[in-house]
């Protein structure tokens, strides 16, 4: 039993924070009135309070109350009692380090697996994969492990970017980086373009949004999957 | 006493591997005939042999012989006896993990500080800073530490890219990522654009190449420094 949305990005160009996802968030969080927000990824180094206020603004539009986990004296208990969770984007290393140091990883995993509604955007989606090994973020802090929740049986690369054929830049393309990942890891990687999200419900993992996703497996050419595809085949891999 | 070239990239667009650097490499390695190559960063997952052959091709043009450190049974002794070193680019995490696991970090640091000529490109430049915290690479393996050689008193961001004002992509710009780094670290960061390199000679650290570099310090606006500038002021910071 799982009830999850994993989005490539919180925000699409020219739109407000979470705006493009609001209908789907009503579906995800339908039965509850209050969501616990985990602001630890701190995009641009924003404070926990400011990030929580920004998320609250969006959630207010669908009649949901949001509280930051940092407002609770005991984050483990707050997480154990949460009705639903939103983990926002930012820096994946900062997020993962905080989750480990506060002892939240196993509780979060158990809650997601037992069906608590979960929204992740960007870094918050990344941590639902098997490792943080396909984040785009800079390693600005050293987490005790790169292993993450593994509530989906693959890794996610959020904000997936296609190579620019006109570029003269010699730094690696995203596809090259993911192929390098596969020299050292067997995990399937889903490149989620901005505006795409995965809707996990029980054993189905359906690609949503206007765009296709790009799937990378070791020793195979990358391939495109159409929006609407159920990726549950990866559950048995 | 130091004698170092730290380049943003091994290759500039439309040119062969190391081609744009060959005159400066003759200056760097002038007095020696043989260079030890460290291929551990494995760009695109290339084998140590293939990477070494590629580097040898470039070094042949300036009359230098290159051997891969992987050809030696005891890499620590090979490094201790090397006349000069080239550490090629690729994945910084893979490189740093290998250097730690083979016990090469302290030896490499000691050799560079005592004046052995050193060339680093991309990941090979990154490791001369204080940490790998400003690499652009994906964390595809978990190194035992993010600390690096610290033979220059700042961090390098190689392949530095200016934001594209026309972009609709919502992933973080390079500048945003470096600013996030400064929420958690005090280290100065030098954004080295492709074609730029630092020439370290004793206590001078001169920016070379056609382009300016971008310097980031905590709590200060980023600023441009002109090619030809000596960055030795950072030695006393």
């Amino acid at each position: 039993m799982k009830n999850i949305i994993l989005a490539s990005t919180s925000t699409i160009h020219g739109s407000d924070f979470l705006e493009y996802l609001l209908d789907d968030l009503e579906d995800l969080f339908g039965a509850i009135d209050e969501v616990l927000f985990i602001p630890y990824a701190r995009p641009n180094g924003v404070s926990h309070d400011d990030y929580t206020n920004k998320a609250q603004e969006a959630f207010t539009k669908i009649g949901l109350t949001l509280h930051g986990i940092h407002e609770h004296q005991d984050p483990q208990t707050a997480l154990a009692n949460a009705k639903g969770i939103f983990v926002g984007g930012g820096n994946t290393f900062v997020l993962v380090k905080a989750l480990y140091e506060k002892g939240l990883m196993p509780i979060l995993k158990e809650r997601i697996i037992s069906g608590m509604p979960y929204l992740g955007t960007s870094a918050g989606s990344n941590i639902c994969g098997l490792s943080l090994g396909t984040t785009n973020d800079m390693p600005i802090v050293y987490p005790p492990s790169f292993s993450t929740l593994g509530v989906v049986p693959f890794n996610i690369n959020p904000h997936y970017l296609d190579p620019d054929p006109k570029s003269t830049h010699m730094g690696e393309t995203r596809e090259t980086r993911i192929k390098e990942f596969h020299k050292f890891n067997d995990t399937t990687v889903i490149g989620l373009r901005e505006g795409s999200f995965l809707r996990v419900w029980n054993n189905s993992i359906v690609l949503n949004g206007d765009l296709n996703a790009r799937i990378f497996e070791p020793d195979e050419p990358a391939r495109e999957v159409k929006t609407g595809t159920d990726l549950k085949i990866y559950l048995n891999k």
Side-chain angles (χ1 to χ4, degrees), chain A:
Chain A
M1 170 66 199
K2 290 175 194 162
N3 185 19
I4 307 174
I5 286 180
L6 302 178
S8 172
T9 182
S10 61
T11 314
I12 55 174
H13 185 71
S15 168
D16 285 343
F17 186 72
L18 293 181
E19 191 75 32
Y20 77 103
L21 274 175
L22 289 179
D23 286 350
D24 296 282
L25 297 190
E26 284 197 284
D27 173 56
L28 175 72
F29 292 119
I32 65 173
D33 55 2
E34 202 176 277
V35 169
L36 187 70
F37 179 52
I38 299 188
Y40 296 148
R42 299 184 58 190
N44 284 302
V46 67
S47 74
H48 294 155
D49 278 344
D50 287 351
Y51 198 12
T52 303
N53 289 340
K54 183 177 178 176
Q56 174 63 74
E57 264 181 50
F59 273 69
T60 299
K61 296 176 186 169
I62 51 171
L64 285 173
T65 303
L66 201 84
H67 291 291
I69 192 168
H70 65 289
E71 299 164 24
H72 295 262
Q73 211 154 17
D74 177 357
Q76 295 188 9
T77 303
L79 184 56
N81 294 331
K83 298 176 186 171
I85 291 279
F86 169 32
V87 179
N91 186 286
T92 309
F93 295 87
V94 174
L95 172 60
V96 168
K97 185 166 187 273
L99 291 174
Y100 273 112
E101 287 177 352
K102 294 172 198 296
L104 298 176
M105 278 286 189
I107 305 170
L108 186 53
K109 181 168 183 166
E110 189 277 326
R111 295 300 320 275
I112 296 173
I113 287 173
S114 60
M116 178 192 61
Y118 178 94
L119 167 65
T121 59
S122 193
S125 298
N126 237 315
I127 62 166
C128 286
L130 293 159
S131 81
L132 68 69
T134 51
T135 178
N136 310 306
D137 297 335
M138 269 190 185
I140 62 179
V141 298
Y142 186 65
S145 168
F146 284 177
S147 292
T148 48
L149 297 168
V151 295
V152 289
F154 42 69
N155 267 13
I156 289 169
N157 178 248
H159 302 281
Y160 183 76
L161 256 188
D162 294 289
D164 172 2
K166 291 187 211 136
S167 173
T168 61
H169 186 69
M170 303 301 287
E172 293 87 343
T173 65
R174 192 70 60 82
E175 179 150 344
T176 299
R177 295 187 191 284
I178 294 171
K179 285 183 176 166
E180 286 183 356
F181 172 81
H182 277 148
K183 295 285 178 176
F184 299 89
N185 303 273
D186 287 336
T187 306
T188 299
V189 180
I190 315 286
L192 272 187
R193 296 181 174 95
E194 293 182 349
S196 294
F197 62 96
L198 300 178
R199 182 71 174 95
V200 185
W201 172 252
N202 289 332
N203 283 329
S204 70
I205 309 173
V206 178
L207 175 64
N208 278 260
D210 293 337
L211 302 175
N212 298 334
R214 195 158 179 86
I215 305 222
F216 301 86
E217 298 197 69
D219 304 319
E220 285 183 30
R223 61 194 179 79
E224 293 285 316
V225 291
K226 290 200 170 143
T227 184
T229 301
D230 191 336
L231 301 173
K232 69 179 168 192
I233 57 157
Y234 293 104
L235 290 170
N236 301 319
K237 280 219 161 191

